[in-house]
Amino acid sequence: MEQIHGGDSNSGGGGGGGSSRNDEIVARRASRFDTLPEDCISKVISHTSPRDACVVASVSKTVKSAAQSDLVWEMFLPSEYSSLVVARSANLLSKKEIFLSLANDSVLIEDGKKSFWLEKASGKKCFMLSAMDLTIIWGDAPAYWQWITVPESKFEKVAELRNVCWLEIRGKISCGMLSKGTHYSVYVVYKTAYGRSYGFDSVPVEAGVGFVGKEATKKSVFLESGVDSRSGVHYSGISHAAVSRAFRMRRPWLRVPREEEEEVEGERERGSNVEGPKERVDGWSEVELGRFFIDNGGCDEIEISLMETQNGNWKSGLIIQGIEIRPV
């Protein structure tokens, strides 16, 4: 059975005196815990976390049986879990197996426009809003954005940026869908078309995250590292005509004169505290847009924005999969 990452309860085989003393303490405590009825042990464990349940299962056979019970793992599942798994699977699988299935693989919801999964260690809810679930200005104009299918995306369609000087992407999610008492981070998940985007390396993009009806927290982010991933050559935004021509012909970008490259690098160094892209294990890139906290009080929606409308430079070459919301 797959286990959630936790401490190795079998470590310390060297046999030092400190280790023996610790083992004796653990054994005494486990012995006292074992005297409780199994359902009482399960009740106690159900108030911890999935990670804690896997760790404590190593204490004894009695505790392991309690820690793996449906009583424990149903507490870690969202109330709507039965609608997220195939009906037949829900009847055949244990609650722990259902939990692990939702933690290991995301599930498409809302007509395939969102994906949902659980964070394995905590059981907190995670979501990705697909590009189809976002409001993208000029998103319905093929000259500016194109809707394409890529095999590595979890969604049917992703948005490919063809050419815009006004970049504006917005998304919303209901607070009620998220886990209470949880700090969340928000990320835009994307990759570059044909290995390179244009117009983003020297121009930061404004990200905003906040509750609807309240002022959003804003920050600047870079969507481009400034270095071509294949050649290592630095690039910068140039004319609209050159962008359009190179994009249409699918040709590698033009080298930037050395003096312009140095100017761009100076701009990036001055903004070195600005968030930049990080590569994910699934082959996509992500940039953190902001954070928020869902308390136990009332809130309606979280609004997320990604904008660059001030500079007027032409931008192209991004493929947007969506906006991901996961616990910090």
Side-chain angles (χ1 to χ4, degrees):
M1 176 64 68
E2 181 176 354
Q3 296 293 314
I4 297 171
H5 176 73
D8 182 3
S9 62
N10 296 317
S11 61
S19 177
S20 298
R21 178 176 172 78
N22 289 337
D23 290 345
E24 184 180 347
I25 293 173
V26 169
R28 287 203 303 268
R29 290 176 177 173
S31 178
R32 290 197 296 269
F33 202 35
D34 281 347
T35 62
L36 296 173
E38 186 173 311
D39 59 341
C40 290
I41 300 174
S42 295
K43 191 68 174 178
V44 171
I45 297 173
S46 71
H47 289 285
T48 61
S49 70
R51 174 186 285 163
D52 293 335
C54 288
V55 171
V56 77
S58 64
V59 168
S60 71
K61 290 182 178 180
T62 301
V63 175
K64 181 178 181 178
S65 177
Q68 294 184 343
S69 69
D70 281 355
L71 189 155
V72 169
W73 288 89
E74 188 160 24
M75 293 293 291
F76 300 148
L77 287 166
S79 58
E80 68 275 21
Y81 77 88
S82 59
S83 65
L84 301 173
V85 294
V86 179
R88 183 180 176 189
S89 297
N91 294 329
L92 295 177
L93 298 176
S94 69
K95 296 301 187 289
K96 182 177 181 180
E97 288 170 329
I98 293 174
F99 176 91
L100 290 173
S101 72
L102 293 174
N104 291 331
D105 295 299
S106 60
V107 178
L108 294 180
I109 60 174
E110 297 188 7
D111 297 323
K113 292 184 176 181
K114 289 183 177 72
S115 68
F116 165 84
W117 68 100
L118 298 174
E119 186 187 53
K120 188 177 287 188
S122 67
K124 302 290 188 180
K125 298 178 182 179
C126 309
F127 292 90
M128 185 185 287
L129 315 181
S130 73
M132 299 179 293
D133 202 35
L134 305 176
T135 300
I136 302 177
I137 300 302
W138 304 111
D140 57 352
Y144 303 120
W145 289 89
Q146 185 175 11
W147 294 91
I148 63 173
T149 299
V150 295
E152 59 271 26
S153 173
K154 62 180 69 179
F155 302 108
E156 181 182 358
K157 297 287 185 181
V158 295
E160 179 184 1
L161 174 57
R162 303 283 291 172
N163 229 345
V164 298
C165 60
W166 184 288
L167 178 74
E168 183 174 350
I169 302 172
R170 295 183 181 274
K172 291 182 180 179
I173 187 169
S174 169
C175 295
M177 297 179 70
L178 302 167
S179 298
K180 301 297 184 185
T182 303
H183 292 272
Y184 278 97
S185 289
V186 181
Y187 301 84
V188 58
V189 180
Y190 65 100
K191 62 171 50 183
T192 55
Y194 311 103
R196 179 63 198 170
S197 64
Y198 314 113
F200 291 103
D201 54 349
S202 61
V203 179
V205 178
E206 182 186 82
V209 176
F211 297 101
V212 171
K214 298 182 180 179
E215 186 174 357
T217 300
K218 296 182 178 180
K219 64 188 287 190
S220 293
V221 301
F222 277 115
L223 298 181
E224 177 59 58
S225 64
V227 180
D228 187 280
S229 60
R230 296 168 297 178
S231 66
V233 175
H234 289 251
Y235 297 98
S236 181
I238 52 180
S239 72
H240 173 209
V243 169
S244 300
R245 184 170 63 254
F247 197 87
R248 287 197 307 271
M249 299 176 70
R250 301 292 190 262
R251 290 181 178 175
W253 206 240
L254 306 174
R255 286 179 180 268
V256 177
R258 181 63 187 172
E259 57 272 18
E260 184 178 341
E261 180 181 320
E262 291 174 351
E263 180 181 347
V264 170
E265 283 305 297
E267 291 177 8
R268 292 186 67 89
E269 287 175 7
R270 288 192 292 274
S272 59
N273 60 334
V274 178
E275 193 87 26
K278 295 180 174 62
E279 190 166 344
R280 295 158 53 105
V281 296
D282 59 7
W284 294 81
S285 295
E286 68 178 24
V287 174
E288 186 182 57
L289 305 182
R291 299 185 176 192
F292 62 90
F293 177 71
I294 297 291
D295 58 21
N296 294 318
C299 70
D300 293 327
E301 290 181 303
I302 300 293
E303 185 171 31
I304 303 136
S305 63
L306 190 65
M307 301 180 64
E308 204 298 289
T309 61
Q310 301 299 315
N311 287 278
N313 65 309
W314 288 84
K315 296 167 278 287
S316 60
L318 291 184
I319 298 175
I320 305 294
Q321 181 174 202
I323 290 177
E324 187 168 286
I325 302 164
R326 63 180 192 255
V328 176

